């Protein structure tokens, strides 16, 4: 994590994030909603800093070595 507020959709890691807590979660293909979320973060310093901090705390739980092992296990499962 780069300690920045994130605007995303509920896919991948985004489905594990909480809207207005550690990210701004927008519906798929909703450009208007994404635009509003970005503008809200630009104009609301407190929200932007809070989401960035919470997102960084969330991301710290992910250790590269653990993620690699989980991914390797998943690939082995798919191949068997």
């Amino acid at each position: 994590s780069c300690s920045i507020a994130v605007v995303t959709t509920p896919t991948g890691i985004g489905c594990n994030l909480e809207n207005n807590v550690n990210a701004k979660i927008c519906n798929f293909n909703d450009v208007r909603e994404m635009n509003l979320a970005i503008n809200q973060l630009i104009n609301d310093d407190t929200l932007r800093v809070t989401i960035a901090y919470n997102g960084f705390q969330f991301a710290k739980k992910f250790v590269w070595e653990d993620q690699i092992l989980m991914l390797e296990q998943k690939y082995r499962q798919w191949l068997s």
Side-chain angles (χ1 to χ4, degrees):
S1 173
C2 298
S3 295
I4 61 170
V6 173
V7 177
T8 188
T9 59
T11 58
I13 197 71
C15 66
N16 296 315
L17 299 173
E18 295 178 62
N19 192 38
N20 293 318
V21 175
N22 49 21
K24 292 292 289 181
I25 311 294
C26 300
N27 292 317
F28 301 102
N29 299 319
D30 192 337
V31 176
R32 183 179 177 278
E33 184 180 14
M34 290 180 188
N35 185 38
L36 289 172
I38 292 167
N39 280 305
Q40 185 179 18
L41 292 173
I42 289 170
N43 295 314
D44 188 335
D45 293 340
T46 302
L47 180 63
R48 183 178 65 252
V49 169
T50 299
I51 287 176
Y53 176 81
N54 291 338
F56 182 72
Q57 296 306 310
F58 178 82
K60 284 190 340 186
K61 296 186 288 186
F62 296 95
V63 177
W64 275 112
E65 290 78 13
D66 294 342
Q67 298 305 308
I68 291 168
L69 286 174
M70 288 190 325
L71 184 59
E72 181 181 359
Q73 289 172 349
K74 183 57 79 174
Y75 283 146
R76 289 184 188 280
Q77 177 186 359
W78 289 338
L79 293 172
S80 60

